[in-house]
Amino acid sequence: NLSCPHVTKVGLEVGDDPLLAIVAEHIMHVLESLGSKGLISIHFNALLQQLTGIGIREEEVDEAITWLLQREMIIELEQDYFSLDI
């Protein structure tokens, strides 16, 4: 189980794919925490390193990023650098 106390499925309509919701929430949490570090974006490899550390596979991260980009919840500032769409 990839649960985390600060991660919920609230606000993400992903149909019948609860794993997609969990991974997308983890990505959103990482992006939201960038501001406290003085950053506005994160490279895919750095994001992947954080998420694989908690057992999330690269394919799952890639799928969730694509899903978040399609819904304009995140943006790609330059190749492989992602940020919140604010």
Side-chain angles (χ1 to χ4, degrees):
N1 189 345
L2 298 175
S3 65
C4 189
H6 58 273
V7 176
T8 65
K9 292 192 289 183
V10 175
L12 294 180
E13 298 294 326
V14 293
D16 295 328
D17 193 345
L19 182 57
L20 176 59
I22 291 168
V23 175
E25 282 288 347
H26 276 288
I27 291 169
M28 293 298 290
H29 174 72
V30 170
L31 294 175
E32 288 167 357
S33 68
L34 291 176
S36 65
K37 300 173 187 169
L39 303 171
I40 60 167
S41 67
I42 189 168
H43 191 272
F44 177 80
N45 291 338
L47 181 62
L48 188 62
Q49 184 177 16
Q50 288 188 34
L51 297 177
T52 56
I54 59 171
I56 298 174
R57 295 187 327 252
E58 181 175 355
E59 300 80 30
E60 296 161 343
V61 174
D62 193 48
E63 179 183 3
I65 286 175
T66 300
W67 187 86
L68 290 165
L69 285 168
Q70 290 172 344
R71 282 147 189 84
E72 299 179 349
M73 298 176 75
I74 65 172
I75 57 174
E76 188 170 12
L77 296 176
E78 53 186 281
Q79 186 169 348
D80 294 332
Y81 279 89
F82 300 96
S83 180
L84 292 176
D85 188 15
I86 51 174

